[in-house]
Amino acid sequence: MANRKIIINDMPHETRVALVEEGNIVELFIERQGSSDSSGNIYKGRVQRVLPGMQAAFVDVGLSQAAFLYVNDIRTDQNDDLETALTENGEETFAGAIPEPKMTGMAKSVERSPVNIIDLITEGQEILVQVAKSPMGTKGARITTHISLPGRFLVLMPTSKHIGVSRRIEDEAERARLKEMIGALRGDHLGYIVRTAAEGVGPEKVAQEMAFLKNVWSGIQRKYQNAPAPCLIHQELDISLRAVRDLLVHEAEKLIIDSRSGCQEIISFLDTFMPNLKDSVELYEGSEPIFDAYNLEGDIYRALKKKIWLKSGGYIIMDHTEALMAIDVNTGRYVGKHNLEETILKTNLEAVKEIAYQVRLRDIGGIIIIDFIDMEKKANQEKVFNALTEAFSKDRSKTHILSMSEMGLIQMTRKRIRQPLTRQLCEPCFYCEGEGNLLSPRTICFNIHREILRNARDMTGAGLTLKVNPMIAELLLGEESYIISSLEKTIARQITIYPESRFHLEEYDVLETY
């Protein structure tokens, strides 16, 4: 695990979970008050519209936008064989409850009988669905009727009959043992995927979790029978507990959190499900903000930039369009030492590591096009392709990389579940009419909160004057006023907010008053 830690910054208005490797963030998850990730939630929905031409339907599940249900995501007896094939090598993912199946040759060869969506559902019908992908921008949530309930060791698939084992468990004898054990324990025809954490685990713990997941499923079925549509039937764990369940031990050996109440909640969760992991949890009590103490804010700042400099002097440009992410590699200030081909190869290989790091940290999904600097030698092209494949082998999201084209382009896809980091933390810039990005007003408010906390121990004045753009002042005096009241209580000083019309939206000054 190469010195991996989970660092959690747990505030009343925002929770940030960072998976840190060798001092650098490799994955970042953010959950804000009133805007939590709906991925994995289960709803009782009502079908609004059925679109035969698209083989899809829009379903009202109670969210601000109608959810999208594709015909292949509707459970029928006819697709059980396909689901069996798809879950054979299923793997779990932190980002949501829906396991990401590994597409094997067997799975691709299974053909489903043609089914028309109008034969499966009708407008006004009530239906039990789970969010597979949270809403992104103008697109509603992607939902499925194939329900998945993740635990520590297992994922219960109540609409399937199959037993699958995570592809990360490579030992064939252990895979066979786990599959045989689940078959002997389940006593019914419910489907299960065995998670990586189950490797080496005995039948007693697995049986306990199996009983727990069955009880959860029974509760969901009872609630579905009595609840009105649309409504939330079952909510996924919050971001901190998902980090405990899905990342602790197999992705990191230690979890450090800066909230006493959050720490107690995690300990209580571990007491119930994983008591042997309690020693892995540590409460951070330092005076410096936890992300500053671990030098993580700089990584987040770089992940919001369009241009990223490489150590050699080269740089990459990451441009997020509506349809895809375009990444351009340039030599920049790097002139090399020997010949042009060597300079280009070194720049491309250095860019590979940064691209893999940035794609994972920013959580970029969908189609990604990488324009490497042209190389004349086929052997050098293969070196870059192999290096890129190796760099993404650590990524827990499913990726598919195509060979480099004659024009030096590599096309790849990465599973998209949530909004990328820039969409979570930024908004289109109203100064440049959407050509670039600004930090969102809420993010600026939270940055101000952190800035004041960062400098609180060095303050000598009786109070503070905070000069901000009028839009930020209005937000801090209204919707986000709890940030100021929380700060005043923490630093024991009164804060006066002063709107400054000449300030850029992201500009602010913190002045001490005596």
Side-chain angles (χ1 to χ4, degrees):
M1 286 180 281
N3 193 22
R4 283 185 167 188
K5 299 182 179 71
I6 300 167
I7 309 297
I8 301 181
N9 175 215
D10 185 17
M11 307 299 288
H13 49 271
E14 177 189 61
T15 301
R16 299 185 296 172
V17 176
L19 179 59
V20 178
E21 181 179 323
E22 300 295 345
N24 297 313
I25 301 180
V26 291
E27 292 185 46
L28 178 66
F29 307 92
I30 299 174
E31 192 170 85
R32 288 180 168 175
Q33 190 179 54
S35 57
S36 60
D37 183 11
S38 60
S39 181
N41 288 353
I42 299 174
Y43 296 87
K44 182 175 185 178
R46 178 177 287 110
V47 179
Q48 285 183 325
R49 294 177 62 199
V50 179
L51 308 173
M54 294 179 62
Q55 285 289 76
F58 288 105
V59 181
D60 180 12
V61 295
L63 299 175
S64 57
Q65 298 167 295
F68 183 81
L69 178 64
Y70 185 57
V71 64
N72 287 354
D73 293 321
I74 301 174
R75 171 69 187 169
T76 68
D77 291 337
Q78 296 181 36
N79 61 29
D80 183 59
D81 288 339
L82 178 63
E83 182 172 293
T84 295
L86 290 176
T87 58
E88 177 66 40
N89 288 292
E91 62 173 318
E92 64 280 351
T93 151
F94 171 80
I98 312 301
E100 168 65 13
K102 179 180 179 182
M103 293 297 293
T104 62
M106 175 183 66
K108 291 179 181 178
S109 67
V110 179
E111 295 184 1
R112 183 179 304 175
S113 302
V115 177
N116 196 313
I117 193 168
I118 60 175
D119 296 327
L120 301 179
I121 57 174
T122 58
E123 292 183 6
Q125 178 181 340
E126 294 180 349
I127 188 170
L128 184 69
V129 295
Q130 185 170 33
V131 175
K133 294 180 183 178
S134 294
M136 297 185 190
T138 59
K139 297 179 181 179
R142 174 79 178 262
I143 57 175
T144 177
T145 64
H146 301 271
I147 307 300
S148 302
L149 296 174
R152 174 64 176 169
F153 306 119
L154 303 170
V155 177
L156 172 61
M157 311 282 285
T159 60
S160 172
K161 300 177 182 178
H162 188 67
I163 300 173
V165 180
S166 169
R167 64 177 179 177
R168 294 192 179 191
I169 300 177
E170 298 177 353
D171 183 84
E172 289 300 326
E174 177 64 3
R175 292 176 65 86
R177 182 190 76 85
L178 290 167
K179 199 167 184 178
E180 183 179 350
M181 180 173 67
I182 299 301
L185 290 173
R186 66 176 175 174
D188 50 39
H189 296 293
L190 299 180
Y192 292 91
I193 292 177
V194 182
R195 306 189 72 174
T196 311
E199 189 170 10
V201 174
E204 184 178 345
K205 290 183 178 179
V206 173
Q208 288 175 350
E209 182 165 282
M210 191 178 287
F212 170 76
L213 292 174
K214 287 180 182 179
N215 287 337
V216 172
W217 173 236
S218 297
I220 289 170
Q221 291 177 300
R222 287 193 299 271
K223 191 170 181 181
Y224 176 79
Q225 295 297 326
N226 301 319
C231 75
L232 175 66
I233 296 291
H234 174 79
Q235 187 165 16
E236 246 287 54
L237 296 175
D238 65 37
I239 194 169
S240 296
L241 295 183
R242 290 207 306 273
V244 173
R245 184 191 67 195
D246 298 340
L247 300 180
L248 194 55
V249 172
H250 281 274
E251 296 293 338
E253 65 268 19
K254 196 171 189 63
L255 184 149
I256 305 166
I257 184 170
D258 60 358
S259 162
R260 187 171 296 276
S261 61
C263 185
Q264 290 172 346
E265 184 182 16
I266 288 172
I267 294 295
S268 177
F269 180 82
L270 290 172
D271 260 332
T272 304
F273 299 104
M274 296 162 270
N276 59 310
L277 297 182
K278 289 193 294 182
D279 291 340
S280 302
V281 179
E282 178 183 317
L283 175 64
Y284 174 79
E285 298 182 280
S287 57
E288 190 179 15
I290 188 169
F291 270 37
D292 285 346
Y294 286 90
N295 299 312
L296 304 182
E297 296 289 4
D299 288 346
I300 299 173
Y301 178 78
R302 287 184 74 235
L304 301 178
K305 294 298 180 182
K306 187 175 180 178
K307 186 175 187 178
I308 301 101
W309 287 96
L310 305 174
K311 291 180 180 179
S312 66
Y315 64 89
I316 60 176
I317 298 289
M318 305 186 71
D319 197 358
H320 211 152
T321 72
E322 185 69 24
L324 53 82
M325 166 63 77
I327 303 176
D328 186 36
V329 182
N330 298 275
T331 53
R333 296 189 294 258
Y334 180 58
V335 295
K337 295 181 179 179
H338 300 289
N339 58 61
L340 179 61
E341 183 75 7
E342 182 184 279
T343 300
I344 291 172
L345 176 61
K346 183 174 180 180
T347 305
N348 282 339
L349 289 175
E350 187 180 7
V352 160
K353 295 179 181 178
E354 188 66 31
I355 288 168
Y357 174 75
Q358 290 292 333
V359 165
R360 189 175 175 190
L361 176 56
R362 298 177 188 220
D363 204 9
I364 297 166
I367 300 172
I368 302 170
I369 306 294
I370 308 172
D371 184 8
F372 286 102
I373 308 168
D374 290 340
M375 294 169 288
E376 292 183 0
K377 296 181 179 179
K378 186 71 174 177
N380 289 342
Q381 294 179 8
E382 290 179 357
K383 283 182 182 178
V384 172
F385 172 77
N386 291 335
L388 188 70
T389 303
E390 173 64 23
F392 276 102
S393 65
K394 299 177 182 178
D395 194 346
R396 293 184 303 110
S397 287
K398 182 183 178 182
T399 58
H400 180 62
I401 305 173
L402 300 180
S403 299
M404 185 177 291
S405 71
E406 294 180 359
M407 300 178 67
L409 299 176
I410 285 185
Q411 176 180 319
M412 62 174 289
T413 59
R414 185 174 185 269
K415 182 175 174 61
R416 189 203 308 268
I417 294 180
R418 299 173 296 122
Q419 293 193 65
L421 192 63
T422 50
R423 298 281 174 88
Q424 293 183 62
L425 300 183
C426 301
E427 290 181 348
C429 174
F430 51 75
Y431 289 104
C432 63
E433 299 181 349
E435 293 300 321
N437 285 308
L438 280 175
L439 291 176
S440 70
R442 290 190 76 193
T443 298
I444 295 169
C445 291
F446 299 156
N447 285 348
I448 292 171
H449 179 275
R450 284 191 281 268
E451 176 75 14
I452 293 175
L453 282 181
R454 187 177 295 125
N455 298 311
R457 57 183 170 179
D458 298 322
M459 293 177 184
T460 57
L464 295 178
T465 295
L466 177 59
K467 291 186 176 183
V468 292
N469 178 281
M471 181 182 293
I472 304 301
E474 182 179 354
L475 199 59
L476 288 172
L477 291 169
E479 185 179 344
E480 307 292 344
S481 60
Y482 60 88
I483 292 178
I484 299 300
S485 59
S486 171
L487 275 172
E488 289 178 334
K489 183 178 180 181
T490 301
I491 67 175
R493 289 172 175 83
Q494 184 176 358
I495 300 174
T496 302
I497 299 173
Y498 184 81
E500 187 65 73
S501 58
R502 62 185 176 85
F503 275 22
H504 183 280
L505 183 72
E506 296 181 1
E507 185 180 358
Y508 58 87
D509 276 340
V510 181
L511 306 172
E512 291 188 63
T513 55
Y514 294 88

